Amino acid sequence: MDDAVRKRPPPVKVMSGQLRAAESRDAVDSGDGWALRLAGGRSLRVSLVWMQGTVLEVQPERNTVTLLDETGTFAVLGVNNIPRGKPCLAQAIFAGKYVMVMGVVMAVSPEPVIRAVKMADLSELAGLHRRMWKLEVEDLQQVLA
């Protein structure tokens, strides 16, 4: 993990639709990252995120996968460069898998783009993970904002 990632705050659980509507922190205040607009006029600063979704497309030649959560699609870059505890990703990422990704937000529009730091296959309990994900996102954001 590079020093820039180590100095960032812990990852924030987000949905792709929230990132798509985020504003650059340069527009909000000084610094890098993005500002999510939450209910009640609150905002939450993010640069390192934790997201989950279903793999729609794998592009090995571009080192990229496209994921879908319940609010839209997002791209994940650098999937071949992340450390792997077990060899679940290099050969086994394919359309239909349900995965989590932790990474740095590179862009939010027109589609969120995340540079992966960590990825894990959650397909074994995908039904449970899918049902719980939106609730986990909402709960963490209420605590942090």
Side-chain angles (χ1 to χ4, degrees):
M1 198 179 312
D2 61 37
D3 287 339
V5 172
R6 289 176 209 261
K7 294 177 184 174
R8 294 177 191 274
V12 176
K13 296 177 180 182
V14 299
M15 305 297 287
S16 65
Q18 291 179 299
L19 281 182
R20 207 170 282 105
E23 297 176 12
S24 168
R25 277 193 46 200
D26 290 335
V28 179
D29 60 21
S30 62
D32 63 343
W34 307 91
L36 300 181
R37 297 292 172 204
L38 305 177
R42 298 173 299 145
S43 68
L44 180 61
R45 297 176 183 169
V46 299
S47 58
L48 188 63
V49 295
W50 174 339
M51 301 176 76
Q52 291 182 188
T54 302
V55 177
L56 290 182
E57 182 180 17
V58 179
Q59 299 176 324
E61 69 285 352
R62 294 182 61 205
N63 200 12
T64 302
V65 296
T66 301
L67 301 181
L68 172 70
D69 69 14
E70 67 179 71
T71 63
T73 60
F74 58 102
V76 181
L77 309 177
V79 295
N80 296 326
N81 305 343
I82 56 176
R84 294 171 184 87
K86 52 184 178 178
C88 66
L89 293 176
Q91 324 65 296
I93 288 280
F94 55 85
K97 289 268 189 177
Y98 189 77
V99 299
M100 69 75 68
V101 61
M102 184 178 78
V104 178
V105 180
M106 304 302 290
V108 297
S109 180
E111 171 181 75
V113 177
I114 310 302
R115 181 174 47 92
V117 174
K118 177 181 179 179
M119 238 175 138
D121 183 356
L122 303 178
S123 298
E124 191 172 322
L125 296 172
L128 175 63
H129 290 294
R130 278 189 188 99
R131 284 192 305 274
M132 296 301 296
W133 183 241
K134 189 171 183 188
L135 299 172
E136 289 179 35
V137 170
E138 291 170 357
D139 186 54
L140 180 64
Q141 289 180 5
Q142 284 179 352
V143 170
L144 295 176

